[in-house]
């Protein structure tokens, strides 16, 4: 964001609002690649199955709860960004399990 110290605050607020709206619209209309998210979901499912298999129920509950909370927070973020329906679910899914792309 460009910052000009001589412009009035009202002009600056309008410019920042327009930039935020443009970024929000770009986020809503961008296509979402879910390949990495699918890989992350498979890894998480394998970990959860192994935790259940070896009787680590507390760890299973903690990991499952953290993932549920993260997905819920991502879904709320998508709805706050005026994203609805399938695209909101895809964004939340990608934010929850798309961490594989960071490696």
């Amino acid at each position: 964001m460009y910052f000009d110290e001589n412009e009035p605050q009202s002009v600056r607020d309008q410019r920042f609002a327009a930039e935020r709206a443009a970024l929000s619209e770009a986020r809503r209309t961008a296509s979402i690649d879910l390949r990495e998210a699918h890989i992350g979901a498979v890894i998480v499912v394998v970990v959860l199955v192994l935790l259940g298999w070896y009787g680590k129920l507390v760890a299973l509950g903690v990991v499952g709860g953290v993932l549920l909370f993260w997905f819920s927070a991502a879904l709320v973020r998508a709805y706050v960004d005026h994203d609805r329906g399938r695209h909101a679910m895809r964004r939340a899914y990608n934010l929850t399990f798309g961490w594989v792309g960071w490696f």
Side-chain angles (χ1 to χ4, degrees):
M1 292 184 187
Y2 174 72
F3 181 73
D4 182 10
E5 59 193 36
N6 296 324
E7 71 182 348
Q9 184 65 35
S10 61
V11 173
R12 186 177 306 146
D13 290 341
Q14 289 175 348
R15 187 170 43 80
F16 285 164
E19 288 175 2
R20 281 192 304 270
L23 286 174
S24 176
E25 183 64 27
R27 230 182 352 260
R28 274 196 308 272
T29 58
S31 66
I32 298 173
D33 183 23
L34 295 178
R35 284 180 291 188
E36 294 170 350
H38 291 324
I39 294 169
V42 167
I43 291 170
V44 167
V45 167
V46 167
V47 168
L48 291 175
V49 166
L50 288 174
L51 286 173
W53 183 268
Y54 289 111
K56 307 292 184 186
L57 298 180
V58 173
L60 177 68
V62 169
V63 172
V66 167
L67 286 170
L68 179 64
F69 175 75
W70 189 265
F71 182 80
S72 300
L75 191 59
V76 167
R77 172 70 173 113
Y79 271 87
V80 166
D81 204 21
H82 303 290
D83 204 356
R84 300 290 186 262
R86 177 179 283 175
H87 197 262
M89 293 293 283
R90 290 171 61 104
R91 276 183 61 193
Y93 179 77
N94 196 29
L95 285 171
T96 304
F97 298 110
W99 47 265
V100 173
W102 299 340
F103 295 114

